[in-house]
Amino acid sequence: MPLINNKCGTCHFVNYICPRMEKGKGSFYWRGIVKDMVKEGMIATDQEQKRLTTCLASPDKATKTLCPHR
């Protein structure tokens, strides 16, 4: 998922993000994380923030491929 790589991957390695996705953190959790990252300097439109929240809260097959297999 290019959006996750471009927005999250600039500061975080996937080994930081993947365990949280695998735990099934919901959209409330991820919405807060995305908002916090914007406060820290991540540049993302409202639409990108919504897409990030959705992708991280309910990762599809393409998003899951970012995570190394265990």
Side-chain angles (χ1 to χ4, degrees):
M1 156 73 35
L3 185 62
I4 292 173
N5 280 334
N6 292 337
K7 300 298 179 181
C8 306
T10 57
C11 296
H12 302 289
F13 294 111
V14 293
N15 61 350
Y16 179 81
I17 299 165
C18 290
R20 288 156 181 79
M21 283 195 317
E22 291 167 358
K23 286 184 180 179
K25 301 279 187 179
S27 60
F28 181 78
Y29 171 83
W30 286 111
R31 190 177 313 115
I33 294 296
V34 170
K35 294 289 182 193
D36 287 347
M37 294 303 97
V38 168
K39 288 178 188 174
E40 293 292 325
M42 179 179 76
I43 298 170
T45 65
D46 288 343
Q47 183 180 5
E48 289 172 327
Q49 291 177 49
K50 288 177 186 174
R51 283 187 56 215
L52 282 169
T53 298
T54 300
C55 290
L56 294 166
S58 301
D60 60 11
K61 188 174 181 177
T63 302
K64 289 178 182 178
T65 61
L66 294 172
C67 299
H69 298 290
R70 294 181 183 192

